[in-house]
């Protein structure tokens, strides 16, 4: 079930179907490559409750893929994905790993396309982790700057990134 | 519990001061945190909840978070005390109403500038309150509290998702920034729905402070961010404090000026009728009080009425709530008796006994 991204070694968090010569070919992508393929950022204006509802409907359908999400269980706390659907509450920290597939899509929509943490890092997580998060934030700001054609800021951020690397 | 003496006044956050206090009553920042190695609250058994409670209690009281931090076990508190804490915004309604035998608590800092709920939806819900528009100050304080707690408490955290929370809509930074806004002019001009829609398009949640559903009693609204993953705390704060909230403040101020310009006499009539009722009523319910207070507050902020200050009015929003009223009168009262006591308290406070 756990696919790697077709374009790199990260775990795939997005699935889609390409049609080539009339044949359907499944595509598996990580967040970064999904964004490049234009698979993310769909309607960022849905309020969260609506979003959960849509999500619940989508995943309570009869097709096999949603049934497999329904049957997911967290080995640490015993919570099922169905329980999460009911309460919108996860059972423990490990649920995030256990339900990562279906959760990723939901979270991305709930957080305006945000897929990775870009904020505070607990001290015990160490210097390396803090640098990674700082990089992630800079890369995102760089994208924003390029998108809004603010090349001066973009150049500054590029320097900062080089300083960190 | 020691809040009884405090109930003659509102907490620091209703002082009526701080930047933009004509529109912004208060600012709030909240962080959601969970301890590593234990299930989230809803899945935790009694023993595990005690373990969370004790770890947090020891760390909260060991650190100099404030001059005199009070730790209140809610499972020992009376329903009235819990209701007082809810009305004072120190605990959520949900935290106050949870089953009594479930171990849960709140730690309250001096002057009520911060409150830490233990075993609400997450193991820890830290919040800092300030009067007026003071989100950056509130954030600095809460970040400091978080640093101190983190020295001994091992938080549930993942590289990808950041701080792990029971509901995935809080994951990442776990931060919620919000302001309580007084928007009477937008209500009177009928533009409030437009503003609410615009706010929702900017990924903000807009709720009435009092009352259920869309009808915000007292024209008091809470506006907060929804996105917690993929952005840093500073960025979330800056978007909110420098872009979103100033826009709403501006709309409200423009609506106020438009009312004075186009409907001056009608506006004054509303304000002075509200004043007349508040200072002369003998029996009055909360819903009516909230609406009248809102109009008088608008009048004070526009200089149409003098001799009463914003702080007194802000406090009345709180002190006329059921639990505060009963605390003030030192007795339990049925709703009918409360309506009489409420009218009397208001006349006292407004100097018209
Ligand atoms: Zn990839
Ligand atoms: Zn779990």
């Amino acid at each position: 079930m756990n696919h790697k991204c077709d374009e790199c070694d990260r775990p795939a968090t997005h699935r889609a179907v390409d049609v080539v010569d009339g044949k359907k070919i499944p595509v598996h992508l990580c967040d970064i490559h999904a964004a490049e393929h234009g698979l993310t950022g769909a309607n960022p204006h849905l309020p969260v409750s609506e979003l959960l509802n849509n999500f619940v409907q989508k995943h309570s359908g009869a097709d096999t893929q949603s049934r497999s999400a329904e049957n997911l269980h967290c080995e640490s706390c015993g919570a099922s994905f169905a329980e999460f659907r009911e309460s919108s509450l996860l059972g423990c920290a490990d649920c995030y790993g256990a339900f990562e597939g279906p959760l990723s899509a939901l979270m991305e929509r709930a957080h305006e396309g945000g897929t990775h943490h870009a904020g505070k890092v607990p001290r015990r997580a160490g210097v390396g982790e803090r640098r990674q998060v700082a990089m992630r934030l800079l890369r995102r700001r760089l994208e924003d700057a390029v998108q809004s054609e603010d090349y001066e800021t973009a150049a500054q951020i590029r320097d900062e990134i080089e300083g960190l690397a | 519990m020691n809040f009884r003496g405090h109930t003659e006044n509102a907490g620091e956050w209703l002082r009526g001061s701080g930047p933009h206090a004509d529109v912004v009553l208060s600012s709030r920042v909240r962080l959601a945190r969970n301890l590593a190695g234990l299930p989230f609250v809803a899945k935790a058994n009694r023993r595990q909840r005690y373990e969370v409670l004790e770890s947090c209690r020891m760390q909260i009281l060991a650190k100099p978070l404030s001059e005199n931090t009070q730790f209140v076990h809610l499972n020992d508190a009376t329903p009235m005390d819990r209701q007082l804490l809810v009305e004072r915004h120190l605990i959520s309604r949900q935290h106050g109403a949870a089953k009594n035998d479930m171990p849960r608590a709140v730690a309250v800092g001096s002057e009520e500038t911060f409150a830490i709920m233990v075993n609400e939806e997450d193991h820890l819900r830290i919040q800092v309150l300030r009067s007026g528009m003071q989100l950056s100050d509130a954030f600095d304080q809460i970040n400091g509290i978080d640093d101190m707690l983190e020295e001994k408490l091992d938080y549930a955290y993942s590289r990808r998702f950041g701080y792990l929370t029971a509901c995935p809509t809080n994951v990442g930074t776990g931060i919620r920034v919000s302001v309580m806004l007084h928007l009477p002019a937008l209500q009177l001009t009928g533009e409030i729905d437009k503003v609410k829609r615009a706010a929702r398009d900017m990924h903000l949640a807009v709720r009435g402070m009092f009352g259920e559903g869309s009808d915000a009693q007292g024209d008091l609204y809470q506006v907060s961010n929804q996105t917690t993953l993929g952005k840093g705390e500073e960025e979330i704060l800056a978007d909110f404090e420098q872009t979103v909230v100033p826009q709403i403040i501006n709309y409200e101020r423009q609506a106020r000026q438009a009312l004075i310009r186009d409907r001056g006499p009608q506006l004054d009539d509303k304000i002075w009728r509200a004043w007349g009722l508040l200072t002369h009523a003998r029996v009055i319910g909360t819903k009516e009080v909230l609406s009248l207070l809102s109009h008088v507050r608008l009048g004070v902020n526009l200089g149409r009425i003098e001799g009463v200050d914003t702080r007194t009015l802000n406090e009345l929003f709180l002190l006329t709530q059921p639990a505060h009223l009963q605390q003030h009168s030192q007795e339990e009262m049925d709703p009918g008796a409360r309506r009489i006591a409420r009218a009397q308290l208001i006349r006292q406070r407004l100097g018209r006994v």
Side-chain angles (χ1 to χ4, degrees):
Chain A
M1 241 352 261
N2 278 334
H3 287 273
K4 271 188 186 171
C5 175
D6 295 342
E7 311 245 10
C8 72
D9 274 346
R10 270 184 291 263
T13 51
H14 296 263
R15 41 170 69 233
V17 179
D18 262 354
V19 181
V20 180
D21 293 335
K23 276 188 193 163
K24 288 181 185 171
I25 300 175
V27 179
H28 302 278
L29 297 168
C30 71
D31 296 303
I32 293 166
H33 287 107
E36 279 182 11
H37 288 242
L39 287 180
T40 60
N43 194 355
H45 296 304
L46 282 177
V48 174
S49 56
E50 208 173 293
L51 208 142
L52 266 166
N53 281 341
N54 286 352
F55 185 70
V56 167
Q57 274 162 16
K58 212 188 287 172
H59 286 264
S60 54
D63 66 291
T64 46
Q65 193 197 320
S66 42
R67 217 178 278 141
S68 68
E70 283 298 281
N71 292 335
L72 286 174
H73 273 81
C74 169
E75 285 185 11
S76 299
C77 73
S80 66
F81 193 76
E83 276 176 68
F84 165 67
R85 274 193 343 147
E86 281 299 307
S87 65
S88 343
L89 295 176
L90 296 165
C92 76
D94 294 332
C95 288
Y96 279 93
F99 308 141
E100 183 160 359
L103 266 185
S104 293
L106 167 69
M107 287 196 289
E108 194 176 329
R109 299 179 71 190
H111 297 288
E112 295 176 88
T115 55
H116 288 72
H117 182 50
K120 186 172 180 175
V121 175
R123 216 163 298 170
R124 68 174 172 81
V127 181
E129 170 69 0
R130 249 173 283 160
R131 199 183 57 198
Q132 271 202 14
V133 172
M135 282 286 243
R136 209 177 281 153
L137 192 62
L138 285 172
R139 284 208 201 93
R140 226 178 50 76
R141 282 179 41 210
L142 177 62
E143 266 173 50
D144 287 352
V146 171
Q147 202 134 72
S148 57
E149 303 189 359
D150 181 355
Y151 297 113
E152 206 172 305
T153 308
Q156 272 171 19
I157 298 171
R158 233 173 250 129
D159 289 345
E160 278 183 62
I161 290 176
E162 253 161 48
L164 266 181
Chain B
M1 198 174 77
N2 243 335
F3 293 95
R4 307 212 148 173
H6 297 213
T7 55
E8 294 303 304
N9 294 300
E12 189 69 1
W13 56 280
L14 277 180
R15 244 179 359 182
S17 58
H20 308 297
D22 58 328
V23 181
V24 186
L25 269 82
S26 60
S27 305
R28 191 181 81 125
V29 181
R30 180 222 78 195
L31 294 177
R33 300 287 188 254
N34 287 281
L35 305 189
L38 285 158
F40 297 145
V41 178
K43 256 292 193 241
N45 60 33
R46 266 178 86 74
R47 189 186 53 73
Q48 290 165 324
R49 291 187 200 201
Y50 264 118
E51 206 177 320
V52 170
L53 191 78
E54 275 311 291
S55 309
C56 295
R57 188 180 65 86
M58 279 167 27
Q59 187 61 5
I60 288 169
L61 295 178
K63 288 290 161 189
L65 303 184
S66 78
E67 240 166 64
N68 176 24
T69 305
Q70 287 193 64
F71 197 89
V72 182
H73 289 269
L74 292 169
N75 32 321
D76 295 337
T78 65
M80 177 78 89
D81 283 342
R82 294 200 303 262
Q83 186 57 33
L84 274 176
L85 290 165
V86 171
E87 288 178 6
R88 294 179 87 72
H89 293 210
L90 295 170
I91 64 174
S92 62
R93 210 164 283 280
Q94 177 192 349
H95 205 44
K99 273 217 215 97
N100 222 7
D101 61 334
M102 276 308 174
R104 65 194 196 284
V106 62
V108 180
S110 325
E111 313 284 318
E112 302 180 18
T113 56
F114 73 81
I116 306 172
M117 287 190 280
V118 184
N119 281 339
E120 204 239 26
E121 182 178 297
D122 294 298
H123 294 155
L124 285 166
R125 285 278 176 105
I126 313 168
Q127 72 158 8
V128 167
L129 284 167
R130 282 277 190 285
S131 58
M133 179 80 169
Q134 301 194 63
L135 283 166
S136 297
D137 282 2
F139 176 72
D140 289 344
Q141 185 183 355
I142 208 168
N143 201 27
I145 293 174
D146 187 50
D147 284 344
M148 283 194 261
L149 295 182
E150 187 214 309
E151 282 173 24
K152 285 274 162 58
L153 298 175
D154 202 4
Y155 286 154
Y157 173 87
S158 96
R159 311 194 107 182
R160 175 168 175 199
F161 296 125
Y163 293 94
L164 301 177
T165 52
C167 180
T169 54
N170 295 315
V171 82
T173 54
I175 200 171
R176 194 72 82 216
V177 295
S178 62
V179 285
M180 197 205 288
L181 302 176
H182 185 221
L183 307 175
L186 288 171
Q187 179 69 44
L188 288 171
T189 57
E191 292 166 294
I192 189 76
D193 288 328
K194 214 169 66 189
V195 171
K196 277 196 257 182
R197 272 197 304 275
R200 289 192 177 122
D201 282 346
M202 290 187 279
H203 255 260
L204 302 168
V206 182
R207 265 179 230 104
M209 284 303 302
F210 297 104
E212 302 290 313
S214 57
D215 196 31
Q217 293 172 19
D219 307 315
L220 294 173
Y221 292 87
Q222 181 176 305
V223 180
S224 55
N225 73 304
Q226 309 235 64
T227 299
T228 54
L229 183 68
K231 289 183 180 180
E233 289 83 357
E234 279 84 4
E235 190 183 355
I236 291 171
L237 203 70
D239 279 355
F240 198 72
E241 191 172 27
Q242 288 157 31
T243 312
V244 175
V245 181
Q247 264 182 55
I248 303 177
I249 294 176
N250 246 346
Y251 289 141
E252 169 64 20
R253 287 195 183 136
Q254 282 167 13
R256 290 180 186 189
Q257 291 314 314
L259 281 175
I260 292 177
R261 196 179 56 234
D262 305 333
R263 284 151 68 188
Q266 290 88 341
L267 175 66
D268 282 335
D269 185 64
K270 244 191 192 354
I271 293 166
W272 285 101
R273 275 173 192 269
W275 176 255
L277 281 171
L278 283 176
T279 50
H280 290 82
R282 291 318 198 243
V283 182
I284 199 164
T286 20
K287 195 173 172 189
E288 188 180 3
V289 166
L290 290 172
S291 155
L292 298 174
L293 282 174
S294 171
H295 291 154
V296 173
R297 194 180 186 278
L298 175 64
V300 170
N301 283 326
L302 290 176
R304 318 293 279 188
I305 191 166
E306 277 167 11
V308 58
D309 56 23
T310 314
R311 180 185 187 144
T312 305
L313 296 170
N314 285 358
E315 287 187 349
L316 280 175
F317 276 111
L318 180 66
L319 302 181
T320 53
Q321 297 295 305
H324 276 78
L325 203 59
Q326 295 179 72
Q327 192 55 51
H328 173 77
S329 307
Q330 298 287 315
E331 59 177 328
E332 283 203 30
M333 293 181 283
D334 61 29
R338 288 207 295 264
R339 292 161 71 90
I340 297 168
R342 184 176 293 118
Q344 193 181 5
L345 172 77
I346 294 169
R347 293 199 311 278
Q348 267 170 13
R349 290 274 163 161
L350 297 181
R352 305 291 160 112
V353 179

